[in-house]
Amino acid sequence: MGANRLCNTCVVVTLGLFVLVSLSTIDAAEAKQKHKRILIVYPQEMRTPGELAADRGIRAVLGDRLDIELYNEHLHRSFFPDEKFQAEQLAWFRNKYQNQSIDLIISPGTILPGFLPGVPIVFCCVEATGLATTKLPVNMTGTWLTLDFLGTVEVARRLQPKVRQVIVLSGTAAWDRQLEAGFRQAVHGLTELQFNYWDNLPVSVIREQLAKLSPDTIIIYLSIQRDATGQVFIPRDLLPSFSKASPAPIYGFSEDFIGFGAVGGSVISLESQGKQAAQIALRVLGGAKPSDIPPIQATSEFIFDWRQLHRFGLRESALPPGSTVRFRVPSVWELYRKWMIGSLTLILLQTSFILYLLLQRRRRARAEHFLELELRFEAMLSELSATFSSLPAVRVDAEIAAGLRRLRLFLELDRISVFEHIDGEMQFVLSHSSSVDGVSPAPRAMGREQFPWLVSSLLKGDDCVIQSVQDCPPEAAKENAFLLEGKYKFTALIPLQTGGSILGCLSFVSFKEHNWPKELVQQLKLVAEVFSNALIRKRADIVLEYSESLKDAVLVSLNSNVAVLDHAGAILSVNQKWIDMEYIRGAYSGAHFSTGMNYLKKCRELAEVGSPFAEIIADGISAVLSGQRENFEVEYSCIPPNEDIWFLISVTPLRREAGGAVVTHMDITERKRDERHMLELSGRLINAQEDERSRIARELHDDFSQRLALIAMEVEQLSQTSATAHHTVIGRLHMVWERITELSSDIHRLSHRLHSSKLQYVGLLAAAKSLCDETARKHHIQIEFVHHDMPETISPDIALCFFRIVQEALNNIVKHSGAKQARIEFSGASSTIRLRIVDAGVGFDPGSRTARGGLGLASMRERLRLIGGSLAIRSLHMEGTEILAEAPAGSATGETRSRKTEQHTTGRTIGEMT
């Protein structure tokens, strides 16, 4: 029995241990799956101060994270610079980590595109000057190491203003050469300084030559990772020996140089770079895309070594503002400042405490009295303020009167009154008053004539408190006489104002002697604020009521269809024109936009059912409501049965704190019809012009050219048969024959210019090339004619349009451009033909009145518009001209062409507006 129990116990214990181990394994696996793996690839072997600083920055952010595993690899580029070896080493690393599920790579001091495919890369401490390109892959971001070369040179000139010689120390390693190239580029414009570059010397020679320099020299230390002998160094380790040998100060660009012999300069912190890279890595691990995180440009700061400044006698006052000075030897004040301040403070505290004890008894009695009074006063003000804040407008006057009575009883005064200021007038009119029975009433108004000093002071926003006759200034003679006559003992007038505007004043009057403390008089301003708020509320309700009535009147008076939207696109108000338009539009489309509906939402719904303009209008309204656009306009059409109606919708922001927009619909149907008629008329005019050109060309070619040819033949025969004539007559006959022949040739060319038969028989490209060759021969211009991807067949209308554009452009080049070179290029696409004409002439301003009024450019635009094309001109003074023409490859004639052109124009307008 005991053996059985022991066996059962062992089985239970074994099963329990198995369950615990299984659960632990599952938890460990789940925890491991949640971990993020980061691979850090260093270019060197972690012995340089720069890599150590960057590593400290990275681990300061990521080192204590329990959910991140860090892996380190080193490329050892200083010892193994061979590119083949580095490539093989990267391949080995890639094979090593390809199955380790690396989530992110951090590469301090190097760029490793495509190292592990698909794994994002964050780089840091990389100087972009020596790179072939700074365009990064989509999975890469980081921090650029931007060194402030010019800032360090400028601060050296401030510290050594008379120095003109600059020695630059650099090595032969790739990093050394990269820094030197960036430095040379930065100081290229400093011609007043003489730069000598010691970039191919052994370190021992550099020390010897440094010892021979004059103290009036600026030494810039860039980096020496390898000298001329090929020996490898840590750049910072060379600084102490250089500083010891040099009689002149040495400036650097790395924070790690400070404290090792460098005076300082505009330096960069590699540790900060490492921290920034680690923070970017956390963002990427959190789900951000590297392409959405732009690379960060490192910032430099001015840091200097106090010991080196004093060693070379450099003035600390010459340092740039905000500079940091390290290793300062403290003065006596700095060493014992806390003790000295503490002792002095203790003495002052003891003295103050003694004085405080002497005055405490007197203060305490007075403070207790006024504390109770202030508490009661503040409680009453709180009640009044709460009452006025939630008060309807109709009860404001009654509650003001009740509040004045409560205030009068609390302050034990004889009369409290409220005077309101009338805008534009120099007087205050009584509106509310509360007084003790038997006391004379307050004056109905206070004008400039009766109370000049009081009115002027109140309009300036000044308080007027008079506790005795002596309180009145000399210019308050009328007020003084009034107070003496009425036996006033205390008078205080506090202006009621808001935002610099005077609403009125609050008057406090007593005919008995009062010893009012200054603190209580100051609290009367709080009372004035409470009543100011009450008057503001009253006036705001009046203005609001007037504004609503004025808004309704303005909307009714407008001729356009107007709707006011809130920030969410809901319709707040419309005018009668809008209501009438809704009846017309809703009768055909079933879409009504009345008050209370969401205009923006309704446009989206119409877009989903196929309305061609609803989506464009909705996007434009959204852009205005969100502040992305200042305004929006677009033309659209709605086509009821047997009608073609066009509207221009304009959207402008509603200038108020809550936002919103004003939507205006204007009927432009008549204008669109006029444009269509003008388009058809323009097409007929151009067709008539071409027909007339053809007729004139035929007349010139078939009639005048033949007749001139006959005359020339007769003159030639006459000169040959008149053998016995005088040689002078024969010469003149020959001259007449030449002029007739020349005139015949000119008429022949004019005929071809008016109507090119080549265009009809050999096509656009051959005719255009022939025109270019003829122009080049005649005017001695080099014209390059090229074409590619052109369709085999081109509509006669389109061919004629492009031929006329080439003809007009060549005419402009000859007459106005003065260019000796030009290029004509035809290119085709799937559905378009493009023409590009470029010259190297004097250029012109396409937006000038002369250019806009020219017939040649207007003819080009009109011809292209008739076939649904477009024209763009780019030109600058003395930089030539470029003409870009584009049109559909298909054909269009007559009414069809006009309709297509209208549609194309409308589409472009929408594109520009949206």
Side-chain angles (χ1 to χ4, degrees), residues 411-416 439 466 486-492 507-514 516:
L411 297 176
E412 298 178 355
L413 294 175
D414 296 317
R415 187 176 68 217
I416 299 180
V439 173
I466 303 174
K487 297 181 181 181
Y488 288 81
K489 301 299 182 181
F490 172 80
T491 303
S507 171
F508 303 88
V509 173
S510 177
F511 296 98
K512 299 184 291 293
E513 294 288 344
H514 278 276
W516 291 88

Side-chain angles (χ1 to χ4, degrees), residues 756-769 794 799 803:
S756 175
S757 58
K758 293 182 180 180
L759 180 65
Q760 180 178 358
Y761 295 109
V762 299
L764 171 62
L765 298 179
K769 187 177 187 306
I794 301 176
F803 181 81

Side-chain angles (χ1 to χ4, degrees), residues 337-483:
R337 178 176 56 185
K338 292 183 179 180
W339 291 100
M340 296 172 67
I341 293 176
S343 300
L344 183 61
T345 304
L346 181 60
I347 295 173
L348 292 176
L349 285 175
Q350 288 179 343
T351 305
S352 302
F353 186 67
I354 292 172
L355 294 176
Y356 174 76
L357 291 176
L358 293 176
L359 297 175
Q360 180 64 19
R361 183 176 299 176
R362 181 179 177 183
R363 283 183 170 181
R364 182 175 180 178
R366 185 177 180 183
E368 289 177 351
H369 172 72
F370 286 112
L371 179 61
E372 181 182 0
L373 188 63
E374 287 179 3
L375 291 175
R376 291 172 53 201
F377 187 73
E378 290 176 359
M380 184 189 63
L381 288 182
S382 298
E383 293 177 3
L384 289 176
S385 179
T387 301
F388 288 133
S389 64
S390 58
L391 196 64
V394 295
R395 293 184 52 197
V396 171
D397 289 330
E399 289 299 331
I400 289 178
L404 292 177
R405 183 175 182 280
R406 287 188 60 188
L407 191 62
R408 177 180 61 79
L409 294 175
F410 178 83
L411 297 176
E412 298 178 355
L413 294 175
D414 296 317
R415 187 176 68 217
I416 299 180
S417 306
V418 174
F419 292 84
E420 293 190 36
H421 175 241
I422 301 176
D423 293 337
E425 298 187 12
M426 303 295 289
Q427 68 174 349
F428 293 81
V429 178
L430 178 68
S431 61
H432 305 83
S433 183
S434 175
S435 60
V436 178
D437 294 338
V439 173
S440 59
R444 301 185 63 84
M446 292 189 300
R448 185 77 176 268
E449 296 79 10
Q450 186 181 6
F451 305 102
W453 174 73
L454 283 176
V455 173
S456 299
S457 300
L458 291 173
L459 290 178
K460 295 177 183 178
D462 298 334
D463 302 330
C464 299
V465 180
I466 303 174
Q467 298 199 56
S468 64
V469 179
Q470 290 76 16
D471 294 337
C472 291
E475 58 270 20
K478 291 186 177 181
E479 288 83 352
N480 192 12
F482 178 81
L483 295 177

Side-chain angles (χ1 to χ4, degrees), residues 699-834:
E699 292 289 339
L700 291 175
H701 184 272
D702 298 339
D703 186 9
F704 293 100
S705 293
Q706 300 298 328
R707 290 160 62 186
L708 285 173
L710 291 174
I711 294 174
M713 292 172 61
E714 291 177 359
V715 171
E716 184 180 11
Q717 291 176 1
L718 179 60
S719 64
Q720 292 176 356
T721 56
S722 302
T724 59
H726 195 271
H727 65 276
T728 303
V729 176
I730 295 174
R732 298 194 64 178
L733 287 173
H734 186 69
M735 185 183 299
V736 171
W737 174 78
E738 290 179 347
R739 291 181 179 178
I740 293 174
T741 303
E742 182 180 354
L743 178 60
S744 177
S745 299
D746 290 343
I747 291 177
H748 182 74
R749 283 194 296 269
L750 178 60
S751 171
H752 280 280
R753 288 177 60 188
L754 290 173
H755 182 74
S756 175
S757 58
K758 293 182 180 180
L759 180 65
Q760 180 178 358
Y761 295 109
V762 299
L764 171 62
L765 298 179
K769 187 177 187 306
S770 176
L771 180 62
C772 292
D773 294 341
E774 180 182 348
T775 305
R777 286 193 304 271
K778 182 177 180 181
H779 299 283
H780 307 291
I781 300 175
Q782 181 181 351
I783 301 176
E784 181 185 2
F785 182 85
V786 295
H787 62 87
H788 53 86
D789 300 329
M790 291 290 290
E792 295 181 359
T793 58
I794 301 176
S795 167
D797 289 344
I798 295 176
L800 178 61
C801 174
F802 278 104
F803 181 81
R804 291 302 184 199
I805 292 174
V806 173
Q807 192 177 47
E808 183 64 34
L810 291 176
N811 185 42
N812 290 338
I813 291 173
V814 172
K815 289 184 177 180
H816 309 293
S817 172
K820 296 301 180 183
Q821 292 180 343
R823 177 184 173 89
I824 311 293
E825 179 183 358
F826 279 94
S827 61
S830 59
S831 59
T832 59
I833 297 176
R834 297 184 180 90

